[in-house]
Every structure is written in C-alpha cells, then in structure tokens.
Amino acid sequence: MSRKKLPIGIQTFARIREDGCYYVDKTGFALQLIEEGNYYFLSRPRRFGKSLLLDTLAELFEGNEPLFRGLAAHGKWDWTRRFPVLRISFGDGMLQSRAALDERIDELLTENEQRLGLTVERASVAGRFGALIRQAEQVHGQRVVVLVDEYDKPILDNLTRPEIAREMRDGLRNLYSVIKGQDAHIRFAMLTGVSKFSKVSLFSGLNNLNDITLDERYSALCGYTDEDVDTVFAPELPGLDRDEIRAWYNGYNWTGTSVYNPFDLLLLFQKRQFRPFWFETGTPTFLVDLLTVRRTFTPDLERVVALESLLSSFDVDRIPTEALMFQAGYLTIDSVRYLPGLMQLTLRYPNLEVRSSLNNALLEVLSDDPARHGVHLPQLYDLLTANDFPGLQQLFTAFFATIPHDWYRNNPIAQYEGYYASVFYSHFAALGLDIRLEDVTNRGRIDMAVLFNRNVYLFEFKVVELVPEGKALQKLRDRAYADKYRARGEPIHLIGVEFSRDSRSVVGFEVERVDAASS
C-alpha cells in the first residue's frame, strides 16, 4: 500500500475523497442510522470527527454519488433521490451574548435559504426556522434533513459566566424546539456536540431524539479502531512502536469498541513523535480550576464509579465533576454494570496521553510555581531509574519546603489532607509511569504501586502531626501488599511516606527492599 495524504484538520468529506486522503469508511454506520430511525443525538469530545460525520451524511442525502464510489454505502443507496439538507453549526467563533447568538442564528438560516434557493419572511427565530423546513420540502419535493453541529458550543463557551450561559441555553432551546413540531416535514435529523445537556433544560419537548452516545453499536461511529490503524493506516506504521501507539492514544470507549482520537493519530503519523497533541489543543482552564475548587483527590480519577443518569444530568446550574470529565473526554468507560433500571459505569483515563497531561496541568495548580514541576519531573525519572531513594526523599522534601506558607493559607486546595498524596501521585502520573492504585481514601492515606524499569515500588502515605511515626511503612508490612507482586520476580521496594500537618512537608521516608522470592 502506498502512503496517502493525512487529512489533518479536514472536516469536509468531499475534500478528503477528492484530495486522495486516508479515509476510514463510516458510511456503513451512516446507512444504519438512516435505516433504523429519524432523530438522533450524539455526544463526543472535541476533535473526534463529529463534523466529518455530519458532512458525510449531508453528501449522502444530497446524492453526491461520485464521492462514495468504493465505499460501503455506494451500492446500497438510491442516488436518484436528493433531499434538501439544512446545516447548522455553531463551531465558528465565540458568542458572548444572547444578541450575538440570535444574530448568528439569523446568519445560519440565511445561508441555508440561499443555498436551497428559498426566501422565507418570518420575524421570529422559531417561526422562520419552521417556515424554512416547510418551504424546503415544498420546493424540493422531499422531506428535509436537519444536521446540527456543535449544538452546545455557545453554552460551553460561557460556563464561567452562568447568567450568559443560561441566556444561550434559552436561545438554543427556542431554535431546537422547532424540530419536534416539524416532524411531518423532516426525513432525518441529527444533533452532535461535546456535552449532553438534560432534555428538560435544553430541548423542551424534543423527546423523540434517540441518544446513541452510549449505544454499544455506535461506540466506533467517530474515531479510529485498532483494525482501522492496522489496515487503513498500515503504510504509516513502520518505524513506530505499535504497542506504544496503543498505550498513548487508544482507549476511548462508549460501551462498545474502543477507538483512538483521529487528531492524535494523524499528527503522530506526520510528526513521528509521541506527544499530547489532542490535550494541547485546548484543555479548558475551567476544568482544572473546577477540580481544584472541589478538592478533587487526584488518585481517585484513576477509577470513578457513577450512574449513567449522573453523567447525563449536565446543566448550567449543575455540573457534576464526573459528567464534565467524561463528556469532555478526560474520562472514559472502563466497564458497565447493569442493574434493574440502572446502568452503573466505572470510568478511567482513556490512555497515557490524558493521564499524563491532565496530571501535568493539575501539578501547575497544586504547587505555587507552575514551572517547578517541569524541573522536578525529569529529576524524579532519573532518581527512580537509579533507585536513588535518598535522592527521592530529598526531591519531595525540597518540593514541599519551597512552597511559601502564605500560599497554603490562601489556597483552599492545600487545606485538606489529600493534597499531599495528590501532589505525590500526580508527579508519577505526569511521567506516564505504570501506576496501580489500591485502597484509596480521601483522607491522605493511599497505596500506590509503581511498576518501572523492572522494579516494583509500593508507596503508603500518612499524615502525622509533627514527627514521623513509622506507621506508613508498618502498614505496608502488616497488610502484606508485596505478596501481590512477588510472582513478577522483580525487586520490590516498600516506601512509607509521612507528611507533617505542622511543617507541611515530608518528615518520614522509609524504604525497605523485599525479596520477590521470599514468602
């Protein structure tokens, strides 16, 4: 197979097909959606291919047959029928007032009128939208297709200003409520976005939407699967470690097949370096600030348990941490437990990119100096490689000791016990090391296993009053945590770390090596 162009940043189906770019065929999914229903809603994180999916659907309904030659849908679609397609996207720019939103809606409706050769004269937004749908069917002789991209962006862009976000929500509800009332004139409708706002708050009666966000059949509707990487992108793989590609970028899951973020993979194939491409394109400071204000115990993010209903209860006035992180792509589904009438989800970081990068971002907030952890992380890696435990103790003691007491007094994140363990954990997570967490609590005590360089490091943290008590190491001994890792046949190091409430620093750091072969 010969190498093709990488469609980096391209969201138009025609350009990908006409320019000879790599294309992962999603047209089979498109046919399945069209055959099974009429109204859909899909939530996926940013840069996951939602815009490309909608553009593909538009080209299919508009009957642009040459673009589909050689694809799954080509021989299964009636190309003699062409449907009028209304496209609405809020992806461009930032809207910061209700007036700006109404002006943008007016522009979008005008664009659709001109493209379809229509003239609609109605004063209100809802009246004009409804009339546009009816006239499009009348003029073109087919029921209308309505595709809404980034339906929630005007709200998300204003979450730090709740009063404006509410105005945006009300303005969008005024627009979207039209879709239900025009059912007789609509062949197909699909809304996509990042967040899943509650139907009561945003859609106001649009209760006929089929939410396929957690439908296992459509888990791979957006994104690339392992099979896609091995087949479609086979020419790009030589010279790259396939297991490393998987560890860094695979793992996003919506109860079905796991997928890669397309943006990550395309930039990896271009630059041939493993970097947090997706994370660097716009992780909101709002998210990091929210985790800080809510005193999130960062090790808990390795494993979050929540009901599906909680992840769907997102609204301007109620933003559960789990829902925000899941919908934004910083947590994904690890496993599902079905209870009578309930779905319980266990969430985890999708991959190494997200875990490492998010903890890097959190470290900037957990310490008083955002640049300091940039110096400490390489030092930590080198010290761990050399099994230099006195150096490790010195490193973390120095880290906490250099944070001014004023910072502790003025920053609420430092006023709870879990802060110390969170800082310690986030250093290792930011390095992308293999971390296993056990018996996690939010009171400053945690077992953390780090598997690195053919060694096993078992940490226990405790917060003490003034002086070290030796209880952290003793707990590691008493609970025989080492037993779980003896079968690996690698050196095991028990490390008890104690923090002082008074000095706000490391006061105890005991290390004991355990022979993997002993019982």
Side-chain angles (χ1 to χ4, degrees):
M1 294 176 63
S2 59
R3 299 180 71 175
K4 298 182 179 181
K5 294 180 182 178
L6 296 166
I8 299 173
I10 301 177
Q11 302 177 32
T12 53
F13 180 68
R15 183 176 171 189
I16 288 177
R17 297 293 289 163
E18 292 169 352
D19 289 357
C21 298
Y22 289 108
Y23 175 67
V24 173
D25 190 354
K26 302 290 185 179
T27 64
F29 281 122
L31 285 183
Q32 186 175 342
L33 287 170
I34 295 168
E35 291 169 358
E36 291 185 351
N38 302 100
Y39 296 90
Y40 292 98
F41 171 79
L42 175 70
S43 168
R44 286 292 186 269
R46 57 191 169 82
R47 293 190 175 274
F48 244 93
K50 301 185 297 295
S51 299
L52 176 60
L53 171 66
L54 291 187
D55 194 63
T56 304
L57 285 164
E59 296 287 4
L60 190 63
F61 276 111
E62 289 172 345
N64 293 318
E65 179 267 338
L67 298 177
F68 292 85
R69 292 172 185 171
L71 300 180
H74 186 262
K76 303 176 182 178
W77 185 255
D78 182 359
W79 299 104
T80 64
R81 298 178 66 190
R82 300 196 172 196
F83 298 82
V85 178
L86 299 183
R87 303 190 189 204
I88 296 174
S89 174
F90 292 101
D92 296 334
M94 291 184 62
L95 304 172
Q96 299 180 333
S97 70
R98 173 66 185 272
L101 173 64
D102 289 342
E103 182 180 355
R104 180 60 180 147
I105 293 174
D106 180 72
E107 293 171 351
L108 290 168
L109 295 180
T110 299
E111 290 172 8
N112 279 281
E113 290 172 13
Q114 293 174 348
R115 184 167 48 81
L116 295 175
L118 307 175
T119 301
V120 179
E121 295 181 1
R122 289 294 177 97
S124 70
V125 167
R128 185 180 176 193
F129 188 27
L132 176 57
I133 291 172
R134 293 190 299 272
Q135 190 177 125
E137 180 192 25
Q138 182 180 7
V139 171
H140 291 271
Q142 295 285 354
R143 284 184 295 164
V144 179
V145 174
V146 179
L147 303 176
V148 182
D149 193 18
E150 305 223 35
Y151 86 103
D152 53 347
K153 189 173 183 293
I155 307 174
L156 297 181
D157 285 344
N158 291 281
L159 281 181
T160 55
R161 301 188 300 162
E163 68 285 353
I164 302 300
R166 292 187 199 99
E167 291 182 8
M168 295 296 186
R169 178 190 62 193
D170 294 343
L172 291 172
R173 178 168 53 199
N174 185 45
L175 178 70
Y176 301 145
S177 62
V178 173
I179 298 175
K180 176 69 179 292
Q182 300 302 316
D183 174 65
H185 310 284
I186 293 176
R187 168 63 182 89
F188 182 91
M190 188 169 193
L191 287 77
T192 69
V194 169
S195 298
K196 181 182 175 183
F197 282 87
S198 65
K199 291 182 179 179
V200 174
S201 71
L202 186 58
F203 296 126
S204 182
L206 187 55
N207 54 6
N208 57 340
L209 284 176
N210 179 5
D211 183 0
I212 58 173
T213 300
L214 297 184
D215 189 325
E216 64 179 282
R217 299 171 303 162
Y218 295 109
S219 185
L221 180 59
C222 295
Y224 301 152
T225 66
D226 249 333
E227 183 181 359
D228 295 331
V229 176
D230 290 332
T231 55
V232 177
F233 295 102
E236 302 295 328
L237 296 178
L240 294 171
D241 186 315
R242 187 67 181 85
D243 290 334
E244 195 172 5
I245 296 174
R246 190 174 290 110
W248 261 86
Y249 301 121
N250 193 19
Y252 294 94
N253 191 286
W254 288 273
T255 72
T257 304
S258 292
V259 295
Y260 297 76
N261 179 283
F263 187 75
D264 269 326
L265 276 191
L266 295 176
L267 282 176
L268 169 68
F269 294 148
Q270 181 193 62
K271 299 182 183 297
R272 319 301 289 181
Q273 293 179 344
F274 290 90
R275 292 186 50 78
F277 300 114
W278 174 78
F279 193 91
E280 290 175 344
T281 60
T283 295
T285 55
F286 172 75
L287 170 63
V288 177
D289 290 344
L290 187 70
L291 293 175
T292 303
V293 169
R294 294 183 178 179
R295 298 185 177 186
T296 303
F297 188 51
T298 56
D300 281 349
L301 297 178
E302 291 274 359
R303 184 177 177 86
V304 176
V305 178
L307 292 177
E308 191 275 335
S309 57
L310 178 65
L311 302 185
S312 304
S313 61
F314 195 95
D315 197 8
V316 174
D317 302 306
R318 185 173 187 271
I319 307 176
T321 302
E322 300 89 341
L324 178 64
M325 295 193 66
F326 171 67
Q327 293 178 17
Y330 301 101
L331 293 177
T332 196
I333 295 174
D334 182 63
S335 61
V336 181
R337 182 186 179 203
Y338 294 96
L339 303 171
L342 298 173
M343 180 188 296
Q344 185 185 61
L345 306 173
T346 300
L347 308 178
R348 56 166 171 79
Y349 290 124
N351 48 43
L352 191 55
E353 176 197 14
V354 175
R355 185 174 72 169
S356 173
S357 300
L358 183 59
N359 278 281
N360 249 316
L362 288 169
L363 275 177
E364 295 183 6
V365 180
L366 291 172
S367 64
D368 74 311
D369 184 355
R372 180 177 294 134
H373 76 277
V375 176
H376 279 235
L377 290 180
Q379 291 178 349
L380 173 60
Y381 185 88
D382 293 339
L383 291 169
L384 204 60
T385 301
N387 279 336
D388 184 350
F389 298 110
L392 282 176
Q393 179 179 8
Q394 183 179 3
L395 176 72
F396 281 101
T397 302
F399 178 85
F400 285 104
T402 52
I403 299 178
H405 278 225
D406 283 347
W407 185 87
Y408 282 97
R409 185 166 57 249
N410 297 327
N411 197 319
I413 190 68
Q415 297 173 11
Y416 81 111
E417 292 181 353
Y419 161 77
Y420 302 98
S422 291
V423 169
F424 211 98
Y425 156 81
S426 289
H427 273 83
F428 288 87
L431 280 175
L433 303 182
D434 186 351
I435 301 174
R436 316 282 175 86
L437 298 176
E438 302 173 308
D439 300 334
V440 181
T441 76
N442 60 2
R443 303 300 300 167
R445 296 182 297 274
I446 179 175
D447 284 335
M448 181 174 75
V450 178
L451 279 53
F452 173 70
N453 199 30
R454 298 190 177 182
N455 282 257
V456 177
Y457 307 88
L458 301 182
F459 292 86
E460 181 68 29
F461 303 143
K462 284 191 67 68
V463 176
V464 298
E465 292 296 337
L466 295 172
V467 297
E469 302 173 356
K471 292 183 179 179
L473 181 60
Q474 191 60 46
K475 184 177 179 181
L476 287 166
R477 296 184 185 129
D478 292 346
R479 297 199 178 183
Y481 284 143
D483 290 351
K484 180 177 179 179
Y485 299 93
R486 292 186 192 277
R488 297 176 64 90
E490 299 169 345
I492 301 173
H493 310 275
L494 306 182
I495 306 174
V497 184
E498 295 180 322
F499 306 99
S500 167
R501 290 190 184 92
D502 183 63
S503 66
R504 299 186 179 93
S505 188
V506 177
V507 294
F509 196 96
E510 296 181 287
V511 182
E512 179 179 299
R513 174 167 170 161
V514 177
D515 185 357
S518 63
S519 59

